[in-house]
């Protein structure tokens, strides 16, 4: 069991991470030209910096409780060469000028000017978050995780780890141990979540599915140390997996990047590939009403960060997407995120 020293070490590292990434967030905000607040959003209260940091630390405390209770292993934060963090920070700020130009420039600049080789749906050919090349270049794939940590002030990894809570519960309810089951992570991106899954359950067979070949290349590198890993390049709404082929399906920060009709199609595909009695785990942004003090920030987010489908997501009824046939099991908040899990009934009429 972790002791007081382990807790102190964990908190010290997390405070350093928050200082590093939240500091970059504040510097980026100082260098950026503010995005005008739409008229309909003016005058609404938003959390100040003190509230944001307090809520972020509440997430870190929740993270520690999970570690202390044996829900998942302590993270390997800042693994590798420390100079790599400096390099990524320099790259982030070097790209910031191009990001700012898109944020305040012609809306056409937010679309991919040329469709890269491959069969991509139109909704995907955007420079999401105003980032260079959208999700379709090696540079974007290398830069992405650092960008997300800056956006959430060092809380992104801890928010992702909360998906391990319902994952552990789902595995404990099954017989045969983790090695007897298969997990599909749709929209797996650079493989950061799957890396945490394999660190905790090395015998669990995992498949990562994503539409971006460059992001899958990063995922392959991060997961190279483990066996029983498969990576598939495909759209979540056109999943090549066989019917009822997975015991657990996870989707982290995917649904807010999809048009409403595609969300429904993805939910249908999850129902198809998930075995009866299987579990689906979603981690995504808070939605309207989850944390009322944050509602104004949620409404401003798609304007500030080019999230073209986000406004419909925050009002999407997730329970409706998984009806009929699913029963909600878990619902918890994690800073700017929420974690929801559903169990598929033993029959379609469940």
């Amino acid at each position: 069991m972790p002791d007081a020293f382990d807790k102190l070490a964990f908190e010290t590292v997390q405070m350093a991470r928050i200082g590093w990434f939240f500091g970059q967030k504040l510097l980026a905000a100082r260098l950026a030209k503010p995005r005008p607040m739409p008229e309909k959003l003016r005058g609404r209260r938003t959390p100040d910096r003190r509230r944001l940091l307090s809520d972020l630390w509440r997430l870190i405390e929740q993270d520690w409780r999970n570690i202390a209770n044996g829900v998942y292993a302590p993270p390997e934060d800042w693994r590798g060469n420390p100079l790599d963090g400096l390099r990524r920070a320099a790259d982030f700020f070097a790209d910031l000028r191009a990001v700012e130009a898109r944020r305040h420039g012609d809306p056409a600049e937010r679309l991919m000017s040329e469709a890269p080789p491959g069969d991509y749906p139109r909704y995907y050919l955007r420079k999401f978050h105003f980032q260079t090349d959208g999700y379709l270049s090696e540079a974007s794939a290398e830069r992405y995780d650092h960008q997300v940590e800056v956006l959430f002030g060092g809380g992104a990894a801890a928010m992702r780890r909360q998906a391990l809570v319902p994952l552990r519960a789902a595995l404990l309810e099954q017989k045969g141990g983790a090695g007897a089951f298969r997990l599909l992570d749709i929209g797996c991106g650079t493989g950061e979540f799957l890396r945490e899954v394999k660190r905790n359950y090395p015998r669990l067979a995992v498949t990562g599915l994503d539409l971006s070949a460059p992001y899958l290349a990063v995922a392959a590198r991060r997961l190279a140390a483990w066996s029983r890993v498969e990576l598939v390049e495909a759209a979540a709404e056109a999943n090549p997996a066989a019917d009822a082929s997975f015991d657990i399906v996870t989707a982290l920060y995917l649904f807010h990047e999809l048009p409403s009709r595609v969300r429904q199609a993805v939910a249908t595909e999850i129902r198809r590939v998930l075995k009866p009695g299987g579990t689906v785990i979603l981690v995504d942004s808070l939605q309207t009403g989850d944390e009322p003090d944050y509602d104004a920030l949620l409404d401003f987010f798609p304007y500030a960060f080019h999230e073209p489908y986000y406004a419909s997501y925050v009002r999407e009824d997730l329970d409706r997407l998984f009806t009929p046939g699913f029963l909600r099991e878990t619902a918890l908040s994690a800073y700017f995120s929420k974690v929801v899990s559903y169990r598929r009934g033993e029959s379609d009429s469940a």
Side-chain angles (χ1 to χ4, degrees):
M1 290 291 292
D3 57 22
F5 179 80
D6 294 322
K7 182 180 180 183
L8 177 62
F10 172 81
E11 291 179 342
T12 299
V13 169
Q14 296 306 312
M15 282 190 284
R17 287 187 87 253
I18 290 171
W20 173 245
F21 288 111
F22 211 100
Q24 290 178 64
K25 178 184 177 77
L26 295 178
L27 178 57
R30 288 180 64 89
L31 295 174
K33 177 183 176 183
R35 178 87 169 159
M37 181 75 73
E39 181 67 33
K40 63 182 179 180
L41 301 181
R42 291 176 187 172
R44 296 175 61 184
R45 293 184 58 185
T46 58
D48 59 18
R49 187 186 308 171
R50 179 177 296 181
R51 169 68 186 275
L52 293 175
L53 284 169
S54 174
D55 289 351
L56 175 53
W57 193 251
R58 187 174 297 112
L59 167 67
I60 299 305
E61 291 174 333
Q62 178 177 314
D63 199 27
W64 171 253
R65 286 193 298 272
N66 290 334
I67 294 167
N69 291 330
V71 177
Y72 47 77
E76 294 179 339
D77 287 321
W78 286 354
R79 59 187 181 272
N81 187 343
L83 294 178
D84 186 56
L86 293 174
R87 179 186 64 79
R88 292 186 183 280
D91 177 67
F92 168 76
F93 282 103
D95 189 54
L96 191 59
R97 179 177 296 181
V99 170
E100 280 298 293
R102 291 185 203 99
R103 192 188 306 274
H104 300 284
D106 188 329
E109 289 297 314
R110 302 164 197 174
L111 306 175
M112 302 294 290
S113 56
E114 275 185 31
D119 185 16
Y120 298 108
R122 287 180 61 84
Y123 73 81
Y124 194 68
L125 297 176
R126 290 177 171 270
K127 297 172 184 176
F128 289 90
H129 321 138
F130 299 109
Q131 64 189 14
T132 302
D133 305 320
Y135 288 122
L136 293 172
S137 75
E138 293 179 6
S140 169
E142 293 292 340
R143 186 178 296 131
Y144 177 76
D145 291 305
H146 188 93
Q147 289 176 318
V148 172
E149 285 293 355
V150 172
L151 175 62
F152 294 108
M159 290 192 297
R160 275 194 304 271
R161 282 195 291 273
Q162 304 317 299
L164 297 172
V165 177
L167 174 58
R168 180 174 184 266
L171 291 173
L172 286 175
E173 290 178 3
Q174 306 291 337
K175 296 180 180 179
F181 302 100
R182 298 184 66 204
L183 178 147
L184 171 67
D185 185 32
I186 57 175
C188 69
T190 61
E192 278 288 274
F193 175 64
L194 282 180
R195 187 179 188 281
E196 288 301 312
V197 171
K198 293 298 286 186
R199 285 184 63 239
N200 284 272
Y201 305 102
R203 295 302 303 154
L204 178 63
V206 303
T207 297
L209 183 146
D210 202 274
L211 198 47
S212 171
Y215 278 62
L216 286 173
V218 174
R221 188 171 72 239
R222 287 181 173 162
L223 296 164
W226 288 279
S227 63
R228 310 191 77 191
V229 174
E230 180 184 19
L231 297 174
V232 177
E233 183 182 347
E237 67 272 24
N239 192 334
D243 293 357
S245 52
F246 291 95
D247 304 277
I248 300 167
V249 175
T250 57
L252 279 70
Y253 304 105
L254 171 68
F255 275 45
H256 79 268
E257 305 239 294
L258 302 173
S260 182
R261 60 178 176 77
V262 180
R263 277 182 224 126
Q264 183 62 68
V266 172
T268 299
E269 280 293 88
I270 290 173
R271 178 181 290 106
R272 181 183 67 79
V273 303
L274 191 64
K275 295 179 181 178
T279 298
V280 55
I281 300 168
L282 309 179
V283 180
D284 217 308
S285 165
L286 292 172
Q287 295 180 286
T288 302
D290 289 334
E291 180 54 64
D293 289 349
Y294 279 50
D295 282 355
L297 282 180
L298 301 184
D299 287 340
F300 183 55
F301 190 75
Y303 296 96
F305 295 100
H306 185 47
E307 289 281 10
Y309 315 116
Y310 187 88
S312 67
Y313 161 79
V314 295
R315 291 164 177 81
E316 183 77 74
D317 185 343
L318 296 179
D319 290 348
R320 181 192 60 81
L321 283 180
F322 291 94
T323 300
F326 285 83
L327 176 67
R328 181 191 279 207
E329 291 199 322
T330 301
L332 60 92
S333 296
Y335 193 34
F336 271 97
S337 300
K338 64 189 300 180
V339 182
V340 185
S341 71
Y342 299 91
R343 174 67 61 87
R344 183 185 171 187
E346 295 295 337
S347 69
D348 288 340
S349 61

